Amino acid sequence: MKGAGSKNSWALFLLILAGIVLGGFIGMMAEGVPALSWLGYGQSFGLEGPITLNLGILVITFGLTIKISIASIIGVVLAVFVYRFL
């Protein structure tokens, strides 16, 4: 029954990804509201500028920045709870 476990893993991954995105969006929207501004508090880490690799005929640009906020963490926790009860 490897297929059934794989499907559940993908469902969990997609729910967590949706929780991160929706939580980040809610955190961004809440920054302007004084009572909810704490939801946007977080830390950003990653590459400050993109790294470019020029191989002559091929140019590759790498870049990654991750911002974790309180709202994103709450979104992930809610996604795991939703996954558990499905």
Side-chain angles (χ1 to χ4, degrees), residues 8 11-23 71-86:
N8 290 336
L12 177 61
F13 174 74
L14 290 175
L15 279 172
I16 289 175
L17 188 61
I20 290 171
V21 170
L22 288 175
S72 295
I73 294 170
I74 292 171
V76 169
V77 170
L78 287 175
V80 170
F81 279 141
V82 167
Y83 176 75
R84 294 281 180 191
F85 292 115
L86 283 181

Side-chain angles (χ1 to χ4, degrees), residues 33-74:
V33 180
L36 298 176
S37 63
W38 60 273
L39 288 173
Y41 177 76
Q43 183 68 32
S44 200
F45 59 93
L47 299 172
E48 291 196 15
I51 297 172
T52 304
L53 177 63
N54 189 349
L55 300 173
I57 60 170
L58 180 66
V59 178
I60 302 172
T61 304
F62 299 100
L64 177 67
T65 302
I66 298 173
K67 181 178 180 186
I68 298 175
S69 67
I70 300 295
S72 295
I73 294 170
I74 292 171

